[in-house]
Amino acid sequence: MKTKKVGSAGRFGARYGRKVRQRVIDIEVKQRQWHKCPYCLKSRVRRLAVGIWKCKSCDSEFTGRAYEV
Ligand SMILES: [Zn+2]
């Protein structure tokens, strides 16, 4: 194994310190998950871009916070 168990934050290498990278992992895992739609209440929302979310169920696009709805 070449890399440690740092998941998506592995790209930062040994930089930025352990705590910062752990926070990056938490955020990135979170933003990749399905989120709950405020309109149809189904967990079919994905992040399109920073602060922009789209529901695959009711097809609504809306703005939210950068990393979660
Ligand atoms: Zn929806």
Side-chain angles (χ1 to χ4, degrees):
M1 276 259 289
K2 219 176 174 188
T3 52
K4 294 178 199 167
K5 287 180 184 170
V6 288
S8 58
R11 68 177 186 272
F12 293 129
R15 283 163 286 160
Y16 306 120
R18 173 190 276 243
K19 270 184 185 161
V20 174
R21 277 177 299 161
Q22 188 55 55
R23 205 157 60 212
V24 168
I25 295 167
D26 287 348
I27 290 169
E28 294 198 338
V29 165
K30 214 173 188 178
Q31 75 191 24
R32 268 197 283 266
Q33 288 169 342
W34 291 103
H35 290 266
K36 208 172 187 180
C37 175
Y39 300 105
C40 64
L41 300 178
K42 288 173 188 165
S43 292
R44 298 287 286 152
V45 173
R46 286 237 112 154
R47 203 183 75 131
L48 284 186
V50 177
I52 302 172
W53 301 79
K54 183 167 180 128
C55 177
K56 302 270 182 194
S57 184
C58 64
D59 220 42
S60 60
E61 233 176 87
F62 51 93
T63 54
R65 284 186 284 151
Y67 301 113
E68 42 194 317
V69 177

